[in-house]
């Protein structure tokens, strides 16, 4: 059974870049779509964007100008960079898998809390 | 931009109760509607996809129905492990989640 694990700094300063990595184990990263999703405190889940194993991407229009998602198939990892962060970017960040661009998220990581604060 | 509205935002129920959660889309999304269960500190879990299909490994007490703009998640007999927050999510366009329904013990 595939497992996903997010990693990265838990504290980021305002205006800096948030960087997270999702490590995939128990299955190949190839053939699937890989998304980042976040949940600010007290709010609902928000899809950030996805990367296909071949490098194709799509993003939430509300975040598109600040987001980069990349993939390293040799390491079975994909990564998120969100630049120019503010306190509004404080959230639990999840990585998730889906089998098509029509997003049905069938496996998720447990999430990692990222706080934006000076 | 398609908005998803869930109701109720929370409910209290007892073990064995039948529970129904509704989700409404701001425009037609055909059957592109998924349901998730989320417990604090854990990974969300896919329960139902494309409105009415039970994800592998999910107990049959969970069921989904609907199409177009109105959808329902039903738990036929609530079990202790079902107390959680439930989210609908449309996959017709840019993925968007409902606000969540917290199911609490009565």
């Amino acid at each position: 059974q595939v497992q996903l694990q997010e990693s990265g700094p838990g504290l980021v300063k305002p205006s800096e870049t948030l960087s997270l990595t999702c490590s995939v184990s128990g299955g190949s990263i190839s053939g699937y779509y890989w998304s980042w999703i976040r949940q600010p405190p007290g709010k609902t889940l928000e899809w950030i964007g996805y990367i296909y194993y071949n490098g194709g991407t799509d993003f939430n229009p509300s975040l598109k100008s600040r987001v980069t998602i990349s993939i390293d198939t040799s390491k079975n990892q994909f990564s998120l960079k969100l630049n120019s962060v503010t306190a509004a970017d404080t959230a639990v960040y999840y990585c998730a898998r889906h089998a098509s661009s029509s997003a049905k998220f069938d496996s998720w990581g447990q999430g990692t809390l990222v706080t934006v604060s000076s | 931009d398609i908005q998803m509205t869930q109701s109720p935002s929370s409910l209290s129920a007892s073990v064995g109760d039948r529970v129904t959660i509704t989700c409404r889309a701001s425009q037609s999304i055909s059957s592109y509607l998924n349901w998730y269960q989320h417990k604090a500190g854990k990974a969300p879990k896919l329960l139902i996809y494309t409105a009415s299909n039970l994800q592998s490994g999910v107990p049959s007490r969970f069921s989904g129905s609907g199409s177009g703009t109105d959808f329902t998640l039903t738990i036929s007999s609530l079990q202790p492990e079902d107390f959680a927050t439930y989210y609908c999510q449309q996959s017709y366009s840019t993925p968007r989640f409902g606000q969540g329904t917290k199911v609490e013990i009565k």
Side-chain angles (χ1 to χ4, degrees), chain A residues 1 97 104-108, chain B residues 34-36 45-60 62-64:
Chain A
Q1 183 175 345
R97 184 188 79 170
K104 173 188 77 171
F105 305 110
D106 62 5
S107 295
W108 296 63
Chain B
N34 308 311
W35 289 97
Y36 300 85
K45 177 183 178 182
L46 176 66
L47 300 175
I48 302 287
Y49 62 95
T50 49
S52 60
N53 295 282
L54 193 68
Q55 175 70 356
S56 176
V58 173
S60 59
F62 291 93
S63 64

Side-chain angles (χ1 to χ4, degrees), chain A residues 38 46-48 59-67 82 89, chain B residues 1 94-96:
Chain A
R38 69 181 183 178
E46 179 182 33
W47 176 73
I48 299 170
F59 303 105
N60 189 323
S62 67
L63 296 167
K64 186 173 185 175
S65 63
R66 297 195 292 131
V67 174
L82 179 66
D89 295 309
Chain B
D1 197 12
T94 300
R96 186 174 287 272

Side-chain angles (χ1 to χ4, degrees), chain A:
Chain A
Q1 183 175 345
V2 67
Q3 292 188 318
L4 291 75
Q5 179 66 58
E6 305 88 351
S7 60
L11 181 64
V12 181
K13 290 182 168 54
S15 79
E16 295 190 346
T17 297
L18 179 159
S19 296
L20 295 174
T21 295
C22 182
S23 299
V24 179
S25 59
S28 175
I29 206 167
S30 296
Y32 288 94
Y33 294 77
W34 303 93
S35 273
W36 287 98
I37 297 160
R38 69 181 183 178
Q39 185 170 34
K43 296 188 177 183
T44 191
L45 298 154
E46 179 182 33
W47 176 73
I48 299 170
Y50 74 64
I51 189 163
Y52 191 39
Y53 77 101
N54 67 1
T57 55
D58 192 17
F59 303 105
N60 189 323
S62 67
L63 296 167
K64 186 173 185 175
S65 63
R66 297 195 292 131
V67 174
T68 302
I69 299 178
S70 58
I71 195 164
D72 187 336
T73 54
S74 66
K75 293 183 178 179
N76 251 27
Q77 293 179 336
F78 63 104
S79 298
L80 168 71
K81 290 188 186 299
L82 179 66
N83 60 35
S84 304
V85 297
T86 69
D89 295 309
T90 293
V92 176
Y93 285 76
Y94 298 93
C95 55
R97 184 188 79 170
H98 43 120
S100 75
S101 59
S102 179
K104 173 188 77 171
F105 305 110
D106 62 5
S107 295
W108 296 63
Q110 290 208 325
T112 187
L113 174 63
V114 179
T115 301
V116 178
S117 175
S118 56

Side-chain angles (χ1 to χ4, degrees), chain B residues 70-88:
Chain B
D70 294 316
F71 301 88
T72 299
L73 172 70
T74 300
I75 309 172
S76 61
S77 178
L78 197 66
Q79 297 302 300
E81 60 269 29
D82 300 337
F83 293 97
T85 300
Y86 293 83
Y87 293 93
C88 63

